[in-house]
Amino acid sequence: MNGEHVSVADSDNMKSPLLPVVHNDEPSRNKTVVQHLRTIFTPSNCYIALGPLLCAVVCLCARLGGDDTTTARNMLGVLVWIFEWWLTEAVPMPITSMSPLFLFPLFGITAADDVASSYMDDVIALVLGSFILALAVEHYNIHRRLALNITMVFCVEPLNAPLLLLGICATTAFVSMWMHNVAATVMMMPVATGILQRLPSSSEMVSPAVGKFCKAVVLGVIYSAAVGGMSTLTGTGVNLILVGMWKSYFPEANPISFSQWFFFGFPLALSIFLVLWGILCVLYCPKGSGKALSPYLHKSHLRRELEMLGPMSFAEKMVLSVFGGLVLLWMTRNITQDIPGWGSLFHGRAGDGTVSVMMATLLFIIPNKIKKGEKLMDWNKCKKLPWNIVLLLGAGFAIAAGVRSSGLAEVLSKGLVFLETAPYWAIAPTVCLISATITEFTSNNATTTLLVPLLIEIAKTMRVHPLLLMVPGAIGAQFAFLLPTGTPSNVVGFTTGHIEIKDMIKTGLPLKIAGTAFLSVLMPTLGAYVFGTKG
């Protein structure tokens, strides 16, 4: 390169390289052997090598018992390899998620076509369609209009700080119900911090209530996004992993529908949300905080921002209509056993992913009436699709199928016979707490992918319905409330500078305990009714 520009003619030449070739003309410096070794044996490279090394140790040394357990042993070795890379992130997680595509065939676990089919099914179609709709909502700034309208309802005069906090948290939770919780946090944090920007900085002579309210708002946004995402299948990848593994392990059973999950997830999320709001009010909204905030926060400020957005355009109305239609179709595909819903018209062939992609396709057909010939969405607007989540989901489904087909599931179930007499009331909270602890140090999706297959075998050993353990394990993986690195949403909140780790621990610990308690009570009661786990 060296300051020269590549001409257009050169860039159009089919024989030219796709990426610019960088010529390093500087003479290489003589390096000692120690320096060379230091560049090779970095922590990252050691973690990369550790994966296949552990796999080799398991494949060569592990004794699982039984006559022919070679395939099961290979599957266990591959699992150790994949999970080591996931936990250390020595290799980017999306790339690690693709490793079953070559590891499973090479180790004789699954044929290439079979493992590849796990990366595209109805659950992943549900993800793709819902994310395209979420991108449309973001592109037309509908989320900001929604947030401002709802917050205005709670911004009463005289100012009530707990009520305003409730409005911000409830809006975030609602948005997170219909799109991934990380996307909801990224969308809502600028709205929340925009409100906080009207408050004076902590360096000025102001009431301590102002700084506490700032902490409450940021904590409320990141935790409300996590809690809201629990209530629907599209709110977080964890729920989708759970549903996909249930379908993979038990293909003869009825799949978990969007409406079925909602009837269980929404009451659970609402209970945890109310506890969250109560904790934030007790810790960060002392008496008289409304009076301290009223000079800086007024309904007219929110109304002015709303007026700056202007009236709703045709494109916004169409996106909302498509989104509302999709939610309606999700909720009515399967209603009850007596009222089967529209899904019965297609004899079970249409799923939630079917309508998700169908409604997303409408966005590429309906004109936006902004520019002639332009549609509501085009492919350039879809470049932010979260392919990392799609690949992680596919890896989870491939692992579930591999554990089952390799015979590793049977080997695990034999090793867990000692749990046969264990009471459910003791196992379920323990499962939730273990999952909630692991998720503080790794991603909630990876935690779910790691634990759910094991929980299925534990449930078989205990002779209880698998969902009675799968659901607590999966939802517990969403209780990453203590550390900034627990989820990307926590990182978004932590980078605002309004909160510290001690604030997260002070709020997150009682919230984690309350969530575990609610889940332990609701799963064997409401969950047994909704999911039919009594049979």
Side-chain angles (χ1 to χ4, degrees), residues 338-381:
D338 298 327
I339 309 174
W342 62 264
S344 62
L345 299 175
F346 300 92
H347 307 289
R349 295 188 182 94
D352 291 327
T354 306
V355 293
S356 183
V357 174
M358 181 185 74
M359 299 302 281
T361 304
L362 292 178
L363 299 176
F364 297 84
I365 298 173
I366 301 172
N368 62 11
K369 291 192 175 181
I370 297 174
K371 291 183 180 179
K372 187 176 180 180
E374 193 174 76
K375 310 302 182 184
L376 290 174
M377 288 289 285
D378 56 52
W379 188 246
N380 286 330
K381 297 187 183 80

Side-chain angles (χ1 to χ4, degrees), residues 506-530:
K506 188 163 57 173
T507 307
L509 187 58
L511 187 62
K512 190 187 288 269
I513 295 172
T516 301
F518 281 126
L519 187 56
S520 301
V521 171
L522 288 177
M523 188 59 217
T525 52
L526 177 64
Y529 173 76
V530 172

Side-chain angles (χ1 to χ4, degrees), residues 456-474:
I456 291 173
E457 300 310 318
I458 293 176
K460 290 179 180 178
T461 302
M462 294 177 61
R463 292 185 173 86
V464 299
H465 197 285
L467 286 176
L468 289 174
L469 292 185
M470 293 171 67
V471 173

Side-chain angles (χ1 to χ4, degrees), residues 82-275:
I82 293 173
F83 288 140
E84 191 275 332
W85 276 6
W86 265 342
L87 294 175
T88 61
E89 296 190 21
V91 177
M93 186 170 286
I95 304 301
T96 303
S97 299
M98 291 194 292
S99 61
L101 290 168
F102 67 88
L103 289 177
F104 283 18
L106 293 180
F107 280 80
I109 298 167
T110 312
D113 287 339
D114 293 334
V115 67
S117 64
S118 299
Y119 285 78
M120 181 53 71
D121 66 356
D122 186 65
V123 175
I124 292 179
L126 171 66
V127 175
L128 289 174
S130 61
F131 267 114
I132 289 173
L133 278 160
L135 289 175
V137 169
E138 180 183 6
H139 176 73
Y140 291 103
N141 227 10
I142 297 173
H143 65 290
R144 183 171 181 82
R145 185 184 298 276
L146 173 69
L148 289 171
N149 274 295
I150 295 179
T151 307
M152 277 187 63
V153 174
F154 293 90
C155 190
V156 297
E157 297 176 4
L159 185 67
N160 186 321
L163 190 61
L164 177 58
L165 178 63
L166 176 63
I168 296 171
C169 294
T171 304
T172 306
F174 179 77
V175 171
S176 184
M177 289 170 61
W178 313 109
M179 60 183 64
H180 196 275
N181 49 21
V182 177
T185 306
V186 172
M187 287 182 180
M188 286 300 302
M189 194 59 74
V191 177
T193 53
I195 296 174
L196 299 182
Q197 284 175 358
R198 295 189 175 85
L199 301 176
S201 62
S202 57
S203 59
E204 301 176 27
M205 298 297 295
V206 294
S207 170
V210 174
K212 287 188 174 183
F213 184 75
C214 291
K215 293 178 184 289
V217 168
V218 173
L219 290 169
V221 168
I222 60 176
Y223 291 152
S224 296
V227 173
M230 297 175 193
S231 56
T232 63
L233 289 184
T234 54
T236 174
V238 168
N239 297 345
L240 295 167
I241 291 172
L242 172 68
V243 171
M245 286 193 172
W246 170 254
K247 181 181 176 183
S248 176
Y249 269 90
F250 307 99
E252 72 286 348
N254 292 327
I256 301 173
S257 66
F258 186 94
S259 58
Q260 193 178 21
W261 181 268
F262 181 81
F263 290 140
F264 172 76
F266 182 74
L268 173 66
L270 180 61
S271 302
I272 300 174
F273 176 82
L274 293 175
V275 172

